[in-house]
Structure formats: C-alpha cells, structure tokens
Amino acid sequence: MNTMKKSVDLLILHASELITLQGFSEKPAIGEEMKKLQIIKDGAVAIENGRIVDVGKSSEMTEKYTAEEIILAKNKVVLPSFIDSHTHLIFAGSREEELTLKLEGVGYLEILKRGGGILKTVRETRKASIDDLVKEGKIRLDTMLKHGVTTVEAKSGYGLNVEDEIKMLEAYKKLDEQHVVDVIPTLLAAHAIPEEYKDDPDSYVNIIIEEIIPKVAERKLAKFNDVFVEKNVFTIEQGRRILLAGKEYGLIPKIHADEIHCLGGAELAAEVGAISADHLARASDNGIKMLAEKGVIGVLLPTAPMVLMDYTFPDARKMIKTGVPIAIASDFNPNCWVENLQVPMFMATYFLKMTPAEVITAVTINAAHAIGLAHEIGSISVGKKADIVILDIPTHYWLNYKFGVNLVNIVIKNGRIVVEEGKIKE
Ligand code: NIG
Ligand code: FE
C-alpha cells in the first residue's frame, strides 16, 4: 500500500544486473576476488540526500519505497560510476607534433632530452593563468563525466617551481569546487628536472623537499605526493627522499614506477608505504611480490605503452595471481589525450588479458582504494555516495566485448542525474 511506503529522492529499478561490489570497502579486491562483482539480478537502488539508502531486489524494493523520480533500468547494467585514479588533467597547450616524431622512431625520453615532452608543456603551463587552466579542465571533465567518470585523481607536474606547482594545485581546487566531478589533487613536482636545473638536479630535489612540499602541505592543496622515477628523470634515491619528505607532511606517497626502465620503482613503493605504484610495465618479480605483501595498489595504464609505442604492457595476470590489487586508469596527459576511460578499460581486456569483471573492479572499488576513498565511493553500498553509472548493455559480459562507442546511458553523481542520453543535464 502506498501510504506504507517510504518516499525517497530517486529509485533505480529493474537493472538486469546491479553490480554492487560490496565487501571490499575495507580492503581492495585481490586475486579471484577481482571477479566477485556481487551482482543482484533485477536489482534496485534507493537514493536519498545524495546517498545510497537501500539496495536489493526490485520486487522487495518496490514494496518498501516510492519516489518522485524513478529510473527503469531494464536490460541495462547498473554499477558504481567510474573512478579515474591517475590523470594529468590540466596543462596548457598540446603536443600533436610529437606523434609524428614518435612515428619516425624518436623515443619519448629522447624527445624529453631535446626539451620537448613534459618540458614543452611546462613552458606553456607556466605562461597560463589559473583561470585558463580551470577553463580547459572543465571541458575535459565534462567529457570524462559523459563517459561515466565521477571522480578523478589529478596531478600537478607542469609547473616545476614553487609558484607554478602551487598555481596548478590552486586550479584543481577551483575545478573541484566548480565542477560536479570530484577532483583529488596530487603533487607531482618531481615530474621532470626543470631546464634551469638540468646540470644540478639535486638542487631541484632540495627545492621540492624544502619549499614545495611544506607550502603545499600547509595550504592543504594536495592529498598525495608522486614522483616519476625513470632514467634521466629522478633516481630511486631522489624518489625515496621526496616521498619520505612528503610523508612527514602528511602527503601520501604514489609513484610512477618502472614505466620505461626497470629501476626498482615497485620495490620503492612497497618500502615507503605508497598507496599505489603506477605504470609497472617493467616491474620486477620481486617488486610485484613486495607490492602484494604490502597491499600497494598497482594502477595500470594500458594506454601508456601504446602512446610510447614500445608496446610493453604490464603483466596484469602475474600481478593478479601474486595478489596485487589492480586498478585501471587513463593516464590522461598531453602525450596521451584520452578523455574516455572506456578506452583503457577495453585495452585492459585485449592487452592485459583482464576479464570484464576484473576491469569493473579495477575502475570502481580498487580505484577508490588507490585514491584513499573506498569508504565513500567505489561500491553500491548503503551510506556511500550515490555515484552510479547505468550502461546500455544487458550484462557486464558485454563490457569490452562491445567497444569503441560510449556505453553510458545515465550518470548519477551525489544522487542527481547529471548525464542522460549522452548529454550533461544543466
Ligand atoms: O604518466 N611518465 C610520466 N608522466 C606521464 C606523461 C606526462 C607527459 O608526457 O606529459 C605519464 O605517462
Ligand atoms: Fe602519469
């Protein structure tokens, strides 16, 4: 009877599969757990005040609730909206000319050595104002949202001095305030050696440790502190110093590890207690074992080996077997302009041999762990934010089987429908 029913803000009913991913909010899913989506067939979700208040079978939920707004998700898959746990979201300019260079056989690190790559983007970003950066960022976030992403981690790293690193992080703060997508900021002052310090990299490391980290921490502009450990970029020793210094100030370590050369980045991530080790295309067996032992999330970025054109992909199967919790992210940056997380998602299946179920886990609950937010997002659980995506596929087995088009039907952020029929709702 209607009068007995509780009225909520929004009800989603009759999902062919309601993928809840419950049970991994405390600890990320590892090994076989990555396939446990905890599916409710003909599932329903009740949403009130931006939060999930109940989850169950449609038959039971329609007995308990009514709502002003009801979404009928027949023949559709309902799951936690996607989390992009590794992006370089804002920067000025572009680098399309480098694609031609790469096709001619000039490597990514060689381009960087010549003052291109990250250093080109640094020159352009230093010239940009906060408002320029926010404006560009909004356009990118809109596209990401349309493709199902409601939370992004976003790194600095194109300032490479006190003022411009802070400028980038201030831009992220504004962006987070002004856009419905949540932006989680990471300090990446250690992204490259700035041109003015190319003969004295240790002096720049000292600036990061003595000036940038304390200022960023004092203004609470970043949650994480990341380092690009790579040949001719930062050494393991420099990386260790920077990550430990950040820890002293409450910044949680992350690391660009073993992307182009195996330098022991995975081992360093485990040693310093990083929340994630990212890339890992060339991680050693020992590094992988250490990540598993310490529960460090392996954030894998399948677009990176493609845009580097070296096609050495991380060994996701070995990592999953060893017990490393895996997340998949876009690595959106000026060398990898991908605003659609569904691209790395399908690549994870075809190049990393991850099943659709594992990929879903890797962009929801495990991605939430990679940015320290698994208590708030990443699963359809009572009390969590109602950040939900509805995909226009009948079962999750269609994910990555059908690819190259946007699978998103509806995106819900904080309990509100924000994308419908491919368009952002004002
Ligand atoms: O994660 N590898 C280092 N950083 C980025 C690329 C940034 C850039 O080329 O601008 C990455 O791939
Ligand atoms: Fe990156």
Side-chain angles (χ1 to χ4, degrees):
M1 254 188 308
N2 240 356
T3 47
M4 305 294 286
K5 291 186 188 178
K6 182 173 163 30
S7 178
V8 292
D9 297 334
L10 179 63
L11 260 182
I12 306 172
L13 295 175
H14 300 304
S16 63
E17 289 183 352
L18 173 66
I19 297 176
T20 68
L21 286 140
Q22 286 176 7
F24 303 111
S25 295
E26 295 298 318
K27 280 198 168 150
I30 56 169
E32 288 295 310
E33 291 169 352
M34 285 194 68
K35 294 189 185 131
K36 283 196 185 141
L37 300 180
Q38 313 290 18
I39 294 174
I40 302 174
K41 293 220 164 115
D42 194 10
V45 187
I47 294 162
E48 176 109 298
N49 294 327
R51 299 267 160 182
I52 295 161
V53 292
D54 207 350
V55 180
K57 281 231 162 252
S58 292
S59 54
E60 292 156 16
M61 295 279 283
T62 46
E63 291 293 308
K64 293 207 269 186
Y65 300 100
T66 71
E68 284 273 302
E69 198 159 21
I70 294 177
I71 299 172
L72 296 175
K74 249 196 156 91
N75 284 319
K76 296 187 176 64
V77 172
V78 175
L79 68 160
S81 48
F82 304 143
I83 298 163
D84 196 340
S85 57
H86 182 137
T87 83
H88 305 251
L89 180 67
I90 57 167
F91 51 82
S94 59
R95 307 216 304 258
E96 66 281 10
E97 71 288 351
E98 289 174 13
L99 176 55
T100 313
L101 278 178
K102 287 187 288 179
L103 285 165
E104 286 164 3
V106 189
Y108 176 80
L109 290 175
E110 177 57 30
I111 293 172
L112 183 63
K113 229 189 207 160
R114 296 180 189 177
I118 296 172
L119 293 174
K120 183 191 174 197
T121 305
V122 168
R123 287 192 293 278
E124 300 195 285
T125 305
R126 283 180 178 176
K127 284 189 244 156
S129 69
I130 291 190
D131 287 344
D132 293 337
L133 297 174
V134 170
K135 201 170 144 212
E136 285 289 311
K138 273 187 186 165
I139 297 168
R140 294 167 196 169
L141 282 182
D142 279 353
T143 313
M144 291 174 174
L145 178 65
K146 283 184 208 165
H147 290 92
V149 170
T150 53
T151 303
V152 302
E153 183 266 5
K155 302 175 196 295
S156 66
Y158 297 112
L160 307 189
N161 60 33
V162 181
E163 186 191 334
D164 292 298
E165 283 296 304
I166 287 180
K167 178 178 79 183
M168 286 192 74
L169 293 171
E170 297 272 12
Y172 283 137
K173 193 171 170 210
K174 272 200 169 178
L175 208 49
D176 182 50
E177 286 161 5
Q178 293 177 14
H179 201 285
V180 66
V181 171
D182 288 322
V183 177
I184 313 302
T186 295
L187 173 66
L188 178 58
H191 197 196
I193 309 292
E195 273 164 322
E196 56 278 22
Y197 285 98
K198 75 167 183 280
D199 299 321
D200 186 15
D202 275 325
S203 289
Y204 179 57
V205 173
N206 291 339
I207 290 174
I208 296 176
I209 292 173
E210 287 157 20
E211 292 186 52
I212 301 182
I213 287 174
K215 286 209 167 95
V216 165
E218 190 201 342
R219 298 189 202 183
K220 296 194 174 18
L221 285 173
K223 178 169 181 178
F224 304 105
N225 182 31
D226 195 342
V227 180
F228 184 21
V229 169
E230 185 51 69
K231 218 167 155 181
N232 296 327
V233 191
F234 293 90
T235 64
I236 284 284
E237 291 70 28
Q238 290 168 334
R240 181 183 291 113
R241 282 184 63 206
I242 292 165
L243 294 176
L244 291 178
K247 249 178 119 169
E248 298 267 314
Y249 284 89
L251 297 175
I252 303 163
K254 278 185 173 275
I255 175 166
H256 280 68
D258 305 319
E259 177 186 5
I260 305 168
H261 295 92
C262 179
L263 300 184
E267 289 88 336
L268 178 63
E271 178 200 315
V272 302
I275 194 163
S276 73
D278 302 35
H279 284 289
L280 301 173
R282 292 175 173 83
S284 72
D285 285 353
N286 186 45
I288 290 172
K289 217 177 96 219
M290 286 175 72
L291 294 177
E293 277 165 12
K294 289 281 165 70
V296 180
I297 315 281
V299 177
L300 307 184
L301 311 162
T303 51
M306 178 182 76
V307 299
L308 291 175
M309 295 189 182
D310 73 9
Y311 308 105
T312 301
F313 291 92
D315 194 340
R317 290 271 43 108
K318 186 188 273 172
M319 292 181 206
I320 291 171
K321 200 168 160 205
T322 313
V324 181
I326 298 298
I328 296 288
S330 71
D331 199 21
F332 172 84
N333 73 68
N335 189 47
C336 181
W337 202 306
V338 57
E339 296 175 10
N340 175 2
L341 188 68
Q342 292 165 50
V343 172
M345 284 166 68
F346 82 70
M347 290 185 70
T349 290
Y350 293 103
F351 296 94
L352 310 189
K353 306 278 166 66
M354 289 172 66
T355 67
E358 288 171 330
V359 173
I360 288 171
T361 302
V363 293
T364 56
I365 192 66
N366 279 8
H369 279 285
I371 56 172
L373 287 178
H375 57 293
E376 274 285 89
I377 52 175
S379 67
I380 300 192
S381 311
V382 171
K384 280 199 184 181
K385 280 192 186 194
D387 289 6
I388 292 170
V389 65
I390 302 180
L391 299 181
D392 206 353
I393 47 176
T395 70
H396 72 276
Y397 296 106
W398 280 69
L399 184 88
N400 302 339
Y401 164 64
K402 178 171 175 174
F403 65 92
V405 292
N406 187 5
L407 298 176
V408 166
N409 174 240
I410 284 176
V411 182
I412 296 162
K413 173 68 187 161
N414 296 325
R416 210 165 59 78
I417 298 174
V418 287
V419 174
E420 209 169 29
E421 287 171 16
K423 292 198 185 65
I424 293 183
K425 270 178 83 175
E426 293 311 324

